[in-house]
Amino acid sequence: MSAAYLAPEGFEAELAEELAREVGDALQRFGRLMVAPGPPRAPAWAQNVWYEPERVAIASIKDAARTLRARQRNWAAYSWTAHRRVALIADQLPHVSAKPIAPFAPLPTAPLGSFTLLDRDTLLFAGRCASPFPHGEPRFVEDREGPPSRAYLKLWEALTLIGQRPAPGQTVIDLGSAPGGWTWVLAELGARVISVDKAPLEPSVAARPEVEARRESAFAIEPFEVDWLFSDVICYPDRLRRLVERWRPFAPRMVCTIKLQGQTDHEAVRAFQAIEGSRVVHLGHNRHELCWLYGV
Ligand SMILES: C[S@@+](CC[C@H](N)C(=O)[O-])C[C@H]1O[C@@H](n2cnc3c(N)ncnc32)[C@H](O)[C@@H]1O
């Protein structure tokens, strides 16, 4: 039994360190893709997991395409070597729609497999993958008018993946909210948003009736009952963890960005993973940061 894990671009070292801690030298690396023995795990730095990958010798491009088509319709090609050959195999497979989706749309249900070539003559593929999106990267129909920053795409992605979102009238707190991308998403959902940042919100967001803007430090606020807590504050991971521990008795659901800088602090990430009822993921719209999901 094994699984293959795809790192986000630029974060191969992070995924390798996470997996090597569990499987040591048994980890095999193929560019961003890493194969580890044992049951599938959920490493924070894997943007997609290929379940039970199979290796098959192929005689030709046609042969590879035939092997894949015989299994199922939809395949995403990951290419790290033999790029032209991988592209030629992909050309012989049915077209997979990469149409941008609307936020909060139900996740696609058609199985989407992934494949790559390990060398000219060896196909590695899995029909079942953790993400319904190619390489774990959803694309959204963007809103270029409403949100004041592109950070809103991270929140759209997190809420779409978990299939839950604040209901109209629920009270939510958004920490580190300026210029207001996340606050805009939450206000659009009809939630009552307490929006906290030392910096000002974009006036069009601050003026919305759903929004109460507070110009103060996120760390100075005494916790109170909320339906959801959101945080995109730039701070050290340990400082964020102490903050969420204080809010835990008051906030049943939390969505927070763990900001990392320089050398990734793996120890700090593990401390978040250890919080019961939570998980840490790398969203397609995250860069050197992770998304911590609690109670959802
Ligand atoms: C990545 S930006 C947030 C973007 C925001 N989520 C959006 O969608 O527009 C990080 C924010 O954290 C804020 N910040 C940093 N330290 C803070 C603190 N102690 N209290 C509140 N906000 C803080 C910064 O002012 C900055 O606006």
Side-chain angles (χ1 to χ4, degrees):
M1 189 181 244
S2 70
Y5 304 85
L6 187 72
E9 257 179 77
F11 301 104
E12 297 84 348
E14 277 73 5
L15 178 60
E17 120 88 48
E18 229 184 334
L19 288 170
R21 267 179 78 85
E22 305 211 22
V23 304
D25 289 348
L27 188 67
Q28 292 182 298
R29 293 180 62 166
F30 307 100
R32 288 198 283 140
L33 190 71
M34 305 184 198
V35 179
R41 302 154 219 275
W45 292 98
Q47 212 156 264
N48 200 7
V49 182
W50 303 13
Y51 299 122
E52 304 272 357
E54 294 175 54
R55 283 170 209 232
V56 171
I58 49 155
S60 63
I61 288 162
K62 262 204 169 90
D63 183 31
R66 207 179 305 121
T67 302
L68 295 170
R69 275 199 312 262
R71 299 296 176 106
Q72 65 190 41
R73 183 187 185 281
N74 296 336
W75 293 96
Y78 165 63
S79 160
W80 66 285
T81 188
H83 300 291
R84 190 169 151 68
R85 218 163 148 79
V86 172
L88 290 171
I89 296 170
D91 282 349
Q92 298 208 4
L93 296 170
H95 175 72
V96 176
S97 161
K99 269 218 299 242
I101 59 164
F104 321 122
L107 297 178
T109 51
L112 176 64
S114 299
F115 75 92
T116 191
L117 286 181
L118 299 186
D119 55 51
R120 269 184 59 79
D121 307 314
T122 316
L123 183 67
L124 180 83
F125 65 96
R128 279 193 320 120
C129 292
S131 175
F133 303 105
H135 314 315
E137 289 170 2
R139 287 202 308 127
F140 290 101
V141 184
E142 294 196 25
D143 187 320
R144 297 185 193 278
E145 314 272 290
S149 71
R150 288 178 53 82
Y152 76 100
L153 289 166
K154 287 190 283 189
L155 189 54
W156 269 9
E157 182 176 349
L159 297 176
T160 302
L161 284 182
I162 62 179
Q164 296 180 52
R165 53 190 190 264
Q170 281 194 325
T171 301
V172 307
I173 188 158
D174 182 16
L175 303 173
S177 57
W182 287 28
T183 290
W184 173 83
V185 170
L186 298 164
E188 285 282 300
L189 288 171
R192 196 185 137 241
V193 194
I194 299 150
S195 183
V196 182
D197 204 300
K198 293 196 282 192
L201 282 182
E202 167 81 25
S204 63
V205 178
R208 294 186 63 127
E210 307 89 347
V211 176
E212 176 190 334
R214 292 199 196 165
R215 285 284 291 276
E216 48 190 309
S217 170
F219 302 95
I221 295 192
E222 255 331 290
F224 54 90
E225 300 271 337
V226 292
D227 294 296
W228 294 70
L229 177 143
F230 297 89
S231 171
D232 200 21
V233 175
I234 293 177
C235 66
Y236 287 111
D238 285 339
R239 195 170 190 210
L240 176 67
R241 191 172 45 77
R242 289 194 295 275
L243 180 136
V244 300
E245 290 290 8
R246 282 205 302 132
W247 277 87
R248 205 134 73 103
F250 302 92
R253 298 166 209 89
M254 301 194 242
V255 176
C256 301
T257 307
I258 307 171
K259 307 271 181 186
L260 299 152
Q261 46 207 296
Q263 280 282 97
T264 298
D265 183 349
H266 291 281
E267 202 58 56
V269 173
R270 281 194 286 277
F272 274 96
Q273 286 171 317
I275 299 175
E276 210 184 317
S278 81
R279 63 190 193 278
V280 179
V281 298
H282 188 274
L283 301 171
H285 290 93
N286 282 145
R287 288 309 300 158
H288 194 192
E289 57 186 19
L290 294 163
C291 179
W292 178 69
L293 300 164
Y294 171 80
V296 289

